[in-house]
Amino acid sequence: MKKDKEILKKVTALKEELAAVSEAHLEACMNKANALLSSLYQQYDFTRTIVHMDMDAFYAAVEMRDNPSLANIPMAVGGEDMLSTSNYIARRYGVRAAMPGFIARKLCADLVIVPTDMAKYSAVSRVIRSVLSQYDPNMTPLSLDEAYMDFTDHLVKRRELDDQSRTFPEFSETMCRCEPEERLGVVSSTEGISSAVGDGVADVPNLNEDNLQNSVATDDTRILPSATNSDTEPSEARIMKDTTVSTDTSQCPRCNMPHNPKRILFDVGVEDAVREMRHRIHLKTRLTASAGIAANCLLAKICSDQNKPNGQYMLPFTVDAVQDFMKDLPVRKVPGVGKVSERQLAAFDVKVCSDFYKHRDVLYFLYSGGMFEYFLSVYLGLGANRLSKNEDGPKSKSVERTFRGMSDPDQLRTLCHELSLELAEDLKSAKNLQGKTVTLKIKLVTFEVKTRSQSLPTATNDGEDIYNVANQLLTTEMKNCSSKPLKLRLMGVRMSNFTTSDSKQQKLKVIRDTNSTPSDKRISFLDKIEAERKSEKVNQSCNEPLGLLAYMSTDKPIGTTSNISNAGRNVSTKLSSVWDESGDVTTRKTGKIIELLEGASNTDPWSLADSTSSSVATIPSDSTVKTATKYGPLDFYRSSKSGALDPWAKDDSSSLGGF
DNA sequence: GCGGATCAC
DNA sequence: TATGGTGATCCGC
Ligand SMILES: Nc1ccn([C@H]2C[C@H](O)[C@@H](COP(=O)(O)OP(=O)(O)OP(=O)(O)O)O2)c(=O)n1
Ligand SMILES: [Mg+2]
């Protein structure tokens, strides 16, 4: 592939850089790394018991459950174009998620592809979460089929539970699988028969036995029933096959199936608690789950993969066990290390996690701060041991669509409009979110991806507002490569930069006080001027005028590239802020703009021309210009220490009310 | 703030 | 013949 070559190119460039570096430098890197390492080493914390659970072949399993004819054949969920996942039979042929259907068929001619049904998976997910919540009400879902839980509190409470509340019916397709509380009083009829039952229920072949050697006995509540404090391994209790058969033949009034006289008793230790949770998921959904148990989220997540499918793995809560586990773990198993990182790391002989340590000097040199620290912390097996709060909502929302090559501008615009309106609807249904940054994403037929974004001075979730901006970005792109047709295979629109409760709407304010506080980076054109000054290495003296700010009326939306001309000069500038008649910033088209033109003269006439106009130095006679009639200059100074003055301010009494 | 990349699911 | 959609993050500028 072409991508492969690019990665390799980057790697060789880095290698050259590395070769050019002195040994002393590398030694310094080593010292830095060691310092970081010893500070990280302090951070081991085995006080929490974190569980990560992950459904097996989730979408595929749901479809197999609902259509038994799919149960024993290779199948996948998705479309002819792209697969979302595959069942374990198909995986034997190499059929994987994110694989185009037609390639999958080359690997497996008999593959059956079932269309995705997200609504169904969401519903199943809710059922699963209802079970998980009983083990940790603060459970944090990562996706429909995956969640972190902190079992620490549950395990304490669990010691007080009686056997009955840890007893559940064995799985059977044809018998009642209702929860005890759902069975109401019926449980009493089988009282006293809660004997243990083994693993390996017939309907669910346990493809991967849980690793038993891992269950080292300690006096930790995580592992043993504290009540007995016995050395017996928890699963052993259940491995005894003395199933008791009840004479109870009554039917569950809820599911109309006979009660299952076979019961499984789970002990109070962690591993049985997690088995119990998985079993209850199975009872409720007829789907299997895998789980990992460890001291933090990182380890738990990695562990949940160890005995997949339908298995679980507990990593003992000791430094030795953790380091031993990490030592030979391929870096690709580490969350955050994907295909590309794996390649890059491999190029520097980093293949397993202990290589993070072995090559720490080189990695320190190659990677920047955050990533390097992450690598070392991963090597040590460190990770978050508190579940992150269930957040402040999404940080972005987007809609995108893939289609067959399209280049007709009208068609593209129509699509852009559709996407914008859909996005607006999404935003409104998502707590009426409003955002400031609109991003247009396009993918060329060559698969090259580009994003173009523009931040508005105020937040919106209006479909036409979004379209105004997105369409501008699109227009700019089409113009930008006008030589070619700009043939797209995908278009997307994203909104981000959502307003938080404290953010007030900006209003226009004129400041002439040179002692005022320096501005932050809100004003892009001020930054631009700064940058230009710096690049020219011109040292401006204090209070020297940089230019004139023109503000004038426009009927063009934000994002429009316009030319402001004056005194024979002109600048091409993207309209970044538009105010309505009352001085409020607006996302709508008609309003006032304010832009900077260096070296402009107040005695010469100004003009504003839309970028569609070919002539900028003179005033064209199209309608755009006719609306650009109102203008006025504004002196713009730079203050001594502070950099640029801030002619804007958040909501303030001196806002201009109309010009 | 912007744009490219990478990643997860 | 044919290569997804959504959301997040990081880096470098
Ligand atoms: N590139 C991907 C990966 C996954 N998914 C969806 C389909 C999966 O069923 C679901 C869960 O993802 P997992 O990574 O957990 O994969 P599975 O659950 O399918 O399989 P596994 O048994 O490996 O967990 O997310 C997707 O749409 N696109
Ligand atoms: Mg899964």
Side-chain angles (χ1 to χ4, degrees), chain A residues 205 379 386 394 453 572 587-588 656:
Chain A
Y379 157 69
R386 305 282 166 169
S453 64
S572 182
T587 54
R588 317 233 171 228
L656 284 189

Side-chain angles (χ1 to χ4, degrees), chain A residues 49 145 159 214 221 265 312 384 469 503 526 569 576 626 656:
Chain A
T49 301
D145 90 317
R159 305 202 303 230
N214 218 16
T221 61
L265 170 65
Q312 64 186 59
V469 181
S503 69
L526 294 185
R569 297 163 166 270
S576 54
K626 267 188 274 175
L656 284 189

Side-chain angles (χ1 to χ4, degrees), chain A residues 593-634:
Chain A
I593 60 143
I594 182 166
E595 298 290 341
L596 177 78
L597 182 54
E598 284 189 83
S601 160
N602 202 9
T603 60
D604 287 299
W606 295 75
S607 73
L608 173 68
D610 179 61
S611 57
T612 53
S613 169
S614 54
S615 166
V616 290
T618 62
I619 299 178
S621 60
D622 63 37
S623 62
T624 302
V625 175
K626 267 188 274 175
T627 64
T629 52
K630 199 171 179 181
Y631 64 89
L634 175 64

Side-chain angles (χ1 to χ4, degrees), chain A residues 129 179 324 446 513 554:
Chain A
R129 286 174 193 180
E179 289 280 313
D324 214 56
T446 62
D513 175 10
T554 178

Side-chain angles (χ1 to χ4, degrees), chain A residues 54-59 84-85 88 91 97-98 145-146 308:
Chain A
D54 186 326
M55 300 298 292
D56 303 321
F58 185 49
Y59 296 179
S84 282
T85 193
Y88 279 79
R91 288 184 200 190
D145 90 317
E146 205 170 311
K308 199 169 240 305

Side-chain angles (χ1 to χ4, degrees), chain A residues 572-588:
Chain A
S572 182
T573 179
K574 216 160 66 163
L575 304 191
S576 54
S577 302
V578 177
W579 286 267
D580 65 16
E581 293 306 319
S582 67
D584 291 330
V585 277
T586 178
T587 54
R588 317 233 171 228

